[in-house]
PDB file of all heavy atoms in Angstrom:
ATOM      1  N   GLY A  28     162.503 -77.085 113.759  1.00 69.00           N
ATOM      2  CA  GLY A  28     162.560 -77.782 112.477  1.00 69.00           C
ATOM      3  C   GLY A  28     162.005 -76.931 111.361  1.00 69.00           C
ATOM      4  O   GLY A  28     161.126 -76.092 111.574  1.00 69.00           O
ATOM      5  N   PRO A  29     162.513 -77.113 110.163  1.00 82.00           N
ATOM      6  CA  PRO A  29     162.065 -76.316 109.027  1.00 82.00           C
ATOM      7  C   PRO A  29     160.708 -76.774 108.513  1.00 82.00           C
ATOM      8  O   PRO A  29     160.237 -77.878 108.800  1.00 82.00           O
ATOM      9  CB  PRO A  29     163.160 -76.562 107.989  1.00 82.00           C
ATOM     10  CG  PRO A  29     163.659 -77.935 108.309  1.00 82.00           C
ATOM     11  CD  PRO A  29     163.558 -78.076 109.804  1.00 82.00           C
ATOM     12  N   GLU A  30     160.061 -75.904 107.751  1.00 88.00           N
ATOM     13  CA  GLU A  30     158.816 -76.243 107.076  1.00 88.00           C
ATOM     14  C   GLU A  30     159.125 -76.600 105.631  1.00 88.00           C
ATOM     15  O   GLU A  30     159.960 -75.969 104.989  1.00 88.00           O
ATOM     16  CB  GLU A  30     157.841 -75.067 107.124  1.00 88.00           C
ATOM     17  CG  GLU A  30     157.399 -74.707 108.526  1.00 88.00           C
ATOM     18  CD  GLU A  30     156.312 -73.654 108.524  1.00 88.00           C
ATOM     19  OE1 GLU A  30     155.712 -73.410 107.451  1.00 88.00           O
ATOM     20  OE2 GLU A  30     156.064 -73.058 109.575  1.00 88.00           O
ATOM     21  N   GLU A  31     158.435 -77.611 105.129  1.00 93.00           N
ATOM     22  CA  GLU A  31     158.668 -78.048 103.765  1.00 93.00           C
ATOM     23  C   GLU A  31     157.782 -77.288 102.800  1.00 93.00           C
ATOM     24  O   GLU A  31     156.612 -76.997 103.088  1.00 93.00           O
ATOM     25  CB  GLU A  31     158.399 -79.551 103.631  1.00 93.00           C
ATOM     26  CG  GLU A  31     159.432 -80.429 104.330  1.00 93.00           C
ATOM     27  CD  GLU A  31     159.221 -81.897 104.036  1.00 93.00           C
ATOM     28  OE1 GLU A  31     158.144 -82.237 103.507  1.00 93.00           O
ATOM     29  OE2 GLU A  31     160.126 -82.698 104.306  1.00 93.00           O
ATOM     30  N   LEU A  32     158.360 -76.974 101.660  1.00 95.00           N
ATOM     31  CA  LEU A  32     157.627 -76.315 100.583  1.00 95.00           C
ATOM     32  C   LEU A  32     157.770 -77.200  99.350  1.00 95.00           C
ATOM     33  O   LEU A  32     158.859 -77.327  98.783  1.00 95.00           O
ATOM     34  CB  LEU A  32     158.196 -74.919 100.318  1.00 95.00           C
ATOM     35  CG  LEU A  32     157.486 -74.104  99.240  1.00 95.00           C
ATOM     36  CD1 LEU A  32     156.074 -73.733  99.681  1.00 95.00           C
ATOM     37  CD2 LEU A  32     158.280 -72.849  98.911  1.00 95.00           C
ATOM     38  N   LEU A  33     156.670 -77.819  98.934  1.00 96.00           N
ATOM     39  CA  LEU A  33     156.701 -78.766  97.833  1.00 96.00           C
ATOM     40  C   LEU A  33     156.713 -78.005  96.504  1.00 96.00           C
ATOM     41  O   LEU A  33     155.854 -77.162  96.247  1.00 96.00           O
ATOM     42  CB  LEU A  33     155.478 -79.679  97.892  1.00 96.00           C
ATOM     43  CG  LEU A  33     155.355 -80.744  96.793  1.00 96.00           C
ATOM     44  CD1 LEU A  33     156.536 -81.703  96.834  1.00 96.00           C
ATOM     45  CD2 LEU A  33     154.036 -81.496  96.936  1.00 96.00           C
ATOM     46  N   LEU A  34     157.695 -78.291  95.667  1.00 97.00           N
ATOM     47  CA  LEU A  34     157.779 -77.697  94.339  1.00 97.00           C
ATOM     48  C   LEU A  34     157.132 -78.668  93.355  1.00 97.00           C
ATOM     49  O   LEU A  34     157.611 -79.788  93.171  1.00 97.00           O
ATOM     50  CB  LEU A  34     159.230 -77.428  93.949  1.00 97.00           C
ATOM     51  CG  LEU A  34     160.043 -76.555  94.917  1.00 97.00           C
ATOM     52  CD1 LEU A  34     161.451 -76.347  94.385  1.00 97.00           C
ATOM     53  CD2 LEU A  34     159.338 -75.222  95.152  1.00 97.00           C
ATOM     54  N   GLN A  35     156.034 -78.247  92.713  1.00 96.00           N
ATOM     55  CA  GLN A  35     155.275 -79.132  91.841  1.00 96.00           C
ATOM     56  C   GLN A  35     155.341 -78.646  90.392  1.00 96.00           C
ATOM     57  O   GLN A  35     154.727 -77.629  90.040  1.00 96.00           O
ATOM     58  CB  GLN A  35     153.810 -79.203  92.299  1.00 96.00           C
ATOM     59  CG  GLN A  35     153.650 -79.881  93.652  1.00 96.00           C
ATOM     60  CD  GLN A  35     152.196 -80.121  94.000  1.00 96.00           C
ATOM     61  OE1 GLN A  35     151.547 -79.250  94.536  1.00 96.00           O
ATOM     62  NE2 GLN A  35     151.702 -81.307  93.683  1.00 96.00           N
ATOM     63  N   PRO A  36     156.063 -79.356  89.538  1.00 96.00           N
ATOM     64  CA  PRO A  36     156.075 -79.021  88.106  1.00 96.00           C
ATOM     65  C   PRO A  36     154.693 -79.184  87.492  1.00 96.00           C
ATOM     66  O   PRO A  36     153.773 -79.727  88.121  1.00 96.00           O
ATOM     67  CB  PRO A  36     157.086 -80.002  87.520  1.00 96.00           C
ATOM     68  CG  PRO A  36     157.904 -80.456  88.686  1.00 96.00           C
ATOM     69  CD  PRO A  36     156.981 -80.442  89.868  1.00 96.00           C
ATOM     70  N   THR A  37     154.561 -78.765  86.259  1.00 95.00           N
ATOM     71  CA  THR A  37     153.243 -78.673  85.639  1.00 95.00           C
ATOM     72  C   THR A  37     152.461 -79.983  85.642  1.00 95.00           C
ATOM     73  O   THR A  37     151.273 -80.001  85.957  1.00 95.00           O
ATOM     74  CB  THR A  37     153.390 -78.174  84.189  1.00 95.00           C
ATOM     75  OG1 THR A  37     154.305 -79.027  83.497  1.00 95.00           O
ATOM     76  CG2 THR A  37     153.926 -76.758  84.156  1.00 95.00           C
ATOM     77  N   SER A  38     153.111 -81.086  85.299  1.00 86.00           N
ATOM     78  CA  SER A  38     152.381 -82.347  85.130  1.00 86.00           C
ATOM     79  C   SER A  38     152.681 -83.381  86.203  1.00 86.00           C
ATOM     80  O   SER A  38     152.187 -84.514  86.125  1.00 86.00           O
ATOM     81  CB  SER A  38     152.681 -82.943  83.746  1.00 86.00           C
ATOM     82  OG  SER A  38     154.079 -83.155  83.597  1.00 86.00           O
ATOM     83  N   ALA A  39     153.482 -83.021  87.215  1.00 88.00           N
ATOM     84  CA  ALA A  39     153.836 -83.994  88.248  1.00 88.00           C
ATOM     85  C   ALA A  39     152.612 -84.351  89.084  1.00 88.00           C
ATOM     86  O   ALA A  39     151.844 -83.480  89.483  1.00 88.00           O
ATOM     87  CB  ALA A  39     154.940 -83.433  89.129  1.00 88.00           C
TER      88      ALA A  39
END
Side-chain angles (χ1 to χ4, degrees):
E30 296 187 15
E31 290 187 347
L32 182 67
L33 180 61
L34 304 181
Q35 293 188 274
T37 54
S38 58

